[in-house]
Amino acid sequence: MTDTKAPSPGTPPITTVEDGGPRIRTIPEGDNVERLVCPDCGFVNYENPKIVVGTVATWEGRILLCRRNIPPRKGYWTIPAGYMELNETTETGARREAMEEANADLAELRVLAIYNIPRISQVQIIYHGKLATPDVAAGPESQEVAFFDWQDIPWDDLAFPSVHWALGHFDEVREAGSHPPFGNPPGDFGDMTR
Amino acid sequence: MTDTKAPSPGTPPITTVEDGGPRIRTIPEGDNVERLVCPDCGFVNYENPKIVVGTVATWEGRILLCRRNIPPRKGYWTIPAGYMELNETTETGARREAMEEANADLAELRVLAIYNIPRISQVQIIYHGKLATPDVAAGPESQEVAFFDWQDIPWDDLAFPSVHWALGHFDEVREAGSHPPFGNPPGDFGDMTR
Ligand SMILES: [Zn+2]
Ligand SMILES: [Zn+2]
């Protein structure tokens, strides 16, 4: 799960381009918001919020976590999650990420939560569901993957605030039969001190 | 609500640029997916799915609809909805769109549905809630705005499939106490014959 600008294929390097590409901040004709425009070719780069999709996935009640092998927060634990790609649904994206990061095959999924991290213009759509099989293995973006009982979750070594939120909300659903989707904790927009 | 590529400020003209800007489809170094690259300045345009936010809003049980004043589907009726902008949350985006399109001030909102239109890489997050006041008025993108009793909804003149879905799901929540969020109708991905 990615709360900060990760060097992912889905992440546009728009605000860091200095030696070429769209880099002049101006209001294009017919628009009402500032955009980055390329002074060399005139291309206007319309930036949009990005969608992260992920899953709290279990096998016999134990929760699947992945230890990140890439920045940001390399070495910390996350649920399988990542940027949605073009022409997939939020659910197929969540399934693809689980397969990429943990070789995990998910059974039926349900929406758990919608989180907003407006500082980085990110919307996270998180599912929960059971694995189809317990056969998991670390993909290239994971150092290791493992199943955790609730009391063994490495709470101090979770990668992002929204991993905490998702695990807590999953536990609410499991224990109390509460009704998703959940949202951010009140007043908490996922800003991290780094 | 926008199921097709509308000429909105949030819509990148990436696939229509022919005389400049990113227009060569290739796999950039270190990437694994084809992107559009500008042969003039080297800029890589990472395309991402886009988020539409909207609301089924009511006053004393009657539903607020807006008749579109812009293509696509100009003259047809929609719920207030549009592309999410940077640095807002899905909820503040839905409130902004209701204000822009219908001068509508929304009271408390709840998530109604998450719809996926993968053909155009669009995710729609739809809320439902009551208006704070019945004072509404057409904004620049609306020809008119009006409140409808359920039996008076102009079903044949709704702008997009997802407007049908959202109204139906809203009615399920209102009548039967079903639990959102809903998703697409099974097997229906919002493709329109035009
Ligand atoms: Zn350029
Ligand atoms: Zn260029």
Side-chain angles (χ1 to χ4, degrees), chain A residues 129-148:
Chain A
K130 294 174 180 169
L131 289 159
T133 86
D135 300 320
V136 296
E141 295 183 4
S142 304
Q143 291 177 356
E144 58 177 315
V145 298
F147 291 105
F148 291 91

Side-chain angles (χ1 to χ4, degrees), chain B residues 125-162:
Chain B
I125 297 177
I126 308 300
Y127 289 84
H128 66 113
K130 295 175 180 172
L131 290 158
T133 84
D135 301 320
V136 296
E141 294 183 5
S142 303
Q143 292 176 355
E144 58 177 316
V145 297
F147 291 105
F148 290 89
D149 286 320
W150 183 255
Q151 64 271 20
D152 297 328
I153 288 172
W155 296 105
D156 292 340
D157 293 321
L158 296 181
F160 306 110
S162 56

Side-chain angles (χ1 to χ4, degrees), chain A residues 94-118:
Chain A
R95 290 177 183 279
R96 175 184 50 72
E97 289 290 343
M99 185 56 70
E100 285 178 6
E101 297 182 1
N103 282 286
D105 187 8
L106 298 171
E108 194 181 346
L109 295 183
R110 299 189 62 181
V111 173
L112 176 68
I114 301 171
Y115 301 129
N116 277 275
I117 325 276

